[in-house]
Amino acid sequence: MEDAVTRLKNAVINYEMETIADLAKKALAEGVDPLVAIEKGLAEGIKVVGERFGKGEIYLPELVMGAEAMKAALAVLEPAVPSGKHRASAGLVVIGTVQDDIHEIGKNLVATMLSANGFEVVDLGVNVASTEFTKKVEELKPKIVAMSALMTTTMPRMAEVIGPIKKKSIPIKALIGGAPVTDVYAREIGAEGYSGDASSAVDVAKKLVG
Ligand code: B12
């Protein structure tokens, strides 16, 4: 019999938008760690959907259905992620998905994990204009500006944000991520931090704030 995590993965792959929330509730009732359900279940499922879309085996409607299924399950699982101990904020983080990019699932996960681990998070949403990022950074003076980009075409938007910040010598660390982003790219554009997933994003963020 399939375990709960594999069932969730397959439910994303099979676009089970109607029933996946119940599967998620069942997984929690069985004692499955919500983070494991998200990362080993949902995220692995959407990876398969993305690969099929990339190869032209499925089209945009299926991609949307896979994403909708993932979101329905996240609505159940994310609130179950253990929240950070009630201690002083580890620091303010301003996060968003870069201009021209509307992918939000990974960004939301990173935001959830950061706030679950004691960071104060201001989420600017998706398709955030580069000028809006810099404006908010000057206004809110966060310790970290975190940016997500899911497309090779929108990755350069991150450099558009980091450039002016460096020029004005604003004391803030940039943390970047998203499927096409690498640590090599981070170094290239002067970002202090990179992480390939939401859990290690927390470790990197902690290092950045010292
Ligand atoms: C779901 C999805 C969508 C959904 C998004 C729904 C939503 N509300 O977010 C929809 C259907 C709307 C969509 C639309 C499009 N998509 Co799309 N999509 C995907 C897909 C399948 C999965 C992305 C996802 O959510 N993954 C799950 C999350 C959990 O993973 P993640 O985002 O990578 O995030 C993790 C890490 O990267 C990291 N991370 C992410 N952000 C950050 C930020 C920081 C600071 C840190 C530290 C870490 C971090 O941590 C996260 C958690 O572990 C990817 C395929 C893929 N392999 O990525 C394609 C993909 C990104 N899409 C693609 C394309 C082409 C499009 C469209 C242009 C399609 C179209 N023709 O209209 C549009 C883009 C519209 C736009 N302007 O943005 C391409 C991009 C190709 C490229 N140029 O690079 C991909 C790669 C698919 C493919 N193989 O071709 N998409």
Side-chain angles (χ1 to χ4, degrees), residues 17 21 36 65 89 103 106 131 141 159 162 164 170 173 176-177:
M17 297 175 286
V36 172
M65 290 194 292
S89 164
H103 295 88
T131 50
K141 302 191 172 49
I162 295 173
I170 300 171
K173 305 276 168 66
I176 66 170

Side-chain angles (χ1 to χ4, degrees), residues 46 50 53-54 60 63-64 67 70-71 100-107 109-110 146-148 150-152 175-179 195-198 201:
I46 200 75
F53 177 76
L60 193 59
L63 184 66
V64 174
M70 176 153 182
K71 279 172 73 177
D100 301 321
D101 197 324
I102 60 157
H103 295 88
E104 64 179 349
I105 298 172
K107 183 263 297 166
L109 269 179
V110 173
M147 290 178 281
S148 179
L150 261 289
M151 300 190 287
T152 47
L175 171 62
I176 66 170
S195 158
D197 66 69

Side-chain angles (χ1 to χ4, degrees), residues 23-73:
L23 288 178
K25 283 180 200 149
K26 238 169 133 188
L28 290 178
E30 283 171 24
V32 174
D33 179 339
L35 209 58
V36 172
I38 292 172
E39 294 195 335
K40 303 272 177 256
L42 304 181
E44 289 299 318
I46 200 75
K47 214 188 260 172
V48 173
V49 174
E51 280 161 12
R52 288 184 182 165
F53 177 76
K55 286 187 206 148
E57 290 170 9
I58 58 169
Y59 299 97
L60 193 59
E62 285 92 352
L63 184 66
V64 174
M65 290 194 292
E68 287 301 318
M70 176 153 182
K71 279 172 73 177

Side-chain angles (χ1 to χ4, degrees), residues 46-186:
I46 200 75
K47 214 188 260 172
V48 173
V49 174
E51 280 161 12
R52 288 184 182 165
F53 177 76
K55 286 187 206 148
E57 290 170 9
I58 58 169
Y59 299 97
L60 193 59
E62 285 92 352
L63 184 66
V64 174
M65 290 194 292
E68 287 301 318
M70 176 153 182
K71 279 172 73 177
L74 278 176
V76 175
L77 295 171
E78 271 190 331
V81 173
S83 60
K85 291 149 210 89
H86 294 285
R87 53 188 146 81
S89 164
L92 178 64
V93 180
V94 166
I95 192 168
T97 300
V98 296
Q99 192 167 330
D100 301 321
D101 197 324
I102 60 157
H103 295 88
E104 64 179 349
I105 298 172
K107 183 263 297 166
N108 290 351
L109 269 179
V110 173
T112 301
M113 287 301 289
L114 287 174
S115 50
N117 283 277
F119 286 89
E120 202 183 326
V121 179
V122 173
D123 188 344
L124 302 179
V126 297
N127 186 18
V128 179
S130 304
T131 50
E132 176 69 8
F133 265 116
T134 36
K135 202 180 113 205
K136 282 288 176 195
V137 161
E138 289 187 65
E139 189 185 311
L140 302 172
K141 302 191 172 49
K143 288 197 173 160
I144 295 175
V145 59
M147 290 178 281
S148 179
L150 261 289
M151 300 190 287
T152 47
T153 46
T154 56
M155 269 172 33
R157 295 291 189 186
M158 295 171 156
E160 277 181 20
V161 175
I162 295 173
I165 291 174
K166 299 268 171 213
K167 228 177 188 168
K168 293 185 182 170
S169 307
I170 300 171
I172 179 182
K173 305 276 168 66
L175 171 62
I176 66 170
V181 180
T182 61
D183 57 346
V184 173
Y185 186 70

